[in-house]
Amino acid sequence: MAAAQGRLSDGADGMDDAEDTAQARAGGGLPPAFRAAVDALRAARPRPQVEVEPTPAPQRLAPYAYALEAVVVDGEQELADGRLVLLHDPDGHDAWQGTFRLVTLVRAELEPEMAADPLLPEVCWSWLTGALQARGLAYGEPSGTITRAGSHYFGGLAERPAASQIEIRASWTPREGLGGVPDTVAHLTSWCDLLAQVAGLPPAGPGDASVVTLPQRRGPQSR
């Protein structure tokens, strides 16, 4: 899968990577709660404009991890991309206040004048929390950073227009349900809502249709 701003990672099936990591660290199979959470993610069907596939997960953040990457497409154009990582520590984690943690990276290109808006970071953070709240999800210990960057071209690249990018890095603890398993499908759906909103697509499903989205990007990449 090609990402809107460059490929996020290379590799094959993320579940295979999770199995290898789990066996290397625990000497056995996956914990039932983690397997159930991952199986739900693998069976989920997000909105059509968001293409999701497994990707190798980081191996040093938690004993067990599973990762997905996604790109928002409109026809042949890619508007935004991101990664979602599910972490699990059966013994719990003080900073998480739970045994599961979701970590995300979302990014998209912006018009330079949009990137100059001083309220943009606060708005982008509200999109993340709003996407979770719109689906009625309970979560705790949210944290993150919003980064905007601009590129200006000179010399042999002077003909390229200035480019700006927004990047959301965040994590939160999903509330665990029966059997200690969080509703990972609902969290994935909310994450896809966030990706679509950053890409400038209208809301889908539950939520406030009046929520402001970014206009569709200038000059997105062709696939």
Side-chain angles (χ1 to χ4, degrees):
M1 176 188 297
Q5 314 299 334
R7 183 176 290 274
L8 288 170
S9 64
D10 294 310
D13 192 292
M15 188 60 180
D16 292 340
D17 185 69
E19 290 277 14
D20 293 343
T21 301
Q23 291 173 2
R25 297 187 179 188
L30 298 177
F34 180 69
R35 177 171 288 281
V38 170
D39 286 345
L41 287 175
R42 299 180 78 189
R45 295 294 180 266
R47 58 189 292 176
Q49 301 95 331
V50 183
E51 297 181 355
V52 179
E53 66 180 18
T55 188
Q59 299 184 12
R60 297 182 180 180
L61 298 180
Y64 305 94
Y66 179 76
L68 297 167
E69 66 178 9
V71 61
V72 180
V73 297
D74 181 21
E76 295 298 312
Q77 297 177 330
E78 299 179 358
L79 305 177
D81 62 22
R83 175 186 288 187
L84 183 68
V85 181
L86 176 69
L87 304 176
H88 179 54
D89 186 340
D91 296 328
H93 195 293
D94 290 342
W96 301 354
Q97 294 296 299
T99 63
F100 282 91
R101 187 76 170 172
L102 285 162
V103 181
T104 188
L105 163 67
V106 172
R107 57 189 183 178
E109 289 187 359
L110 302 174
E111 294 284 356
E113 54 271 23
M114 287 184 193
D117 186 341
L119 296 179
L120 184 63
E122 288 79 7
V123 170
C124 288
W125 182 255
S126 73
W127 290 344
L128 170 63
T129 58
L132 295 169
Q133 293 166 4
R135 299 279 174 181
L137 293 172
Y139 64 96
E141 307 304 318
S143 64
T145 61
I146 309 295
T147 304
R148 48 185 169 185
S151 299
H152 299 266
Y153 301 94
F154 301 92
L157 302 177
E159 294 184 359
R160 293 188 182 182
S164 299
Q165 185 183 76
I166 190 73
E167 182 178 275
I168 303 172
R169 293 180 179 268
S171 63
W172 64 95
T173 299
R175 174 173 291 177
E176 298 166 16
L178 294 176
V181 182
D183 188 349
T184 50
V185 173
H187 282 272
L188 174 62
T189 302
S190 295
W191 181 68
C192 289
D193 291 343
L194 171 65
L195 274 168
Q197 192 165 21
V198 171
L201 300 182
D208 184 357
S210 67
V211 171
V212 176
T213 58
L214 290 180
Q216 212 166 34
R217 308 293 167 267
R218 177 189 61 197
Q221 292 185 356
S222 296
R223 307 184 73 200

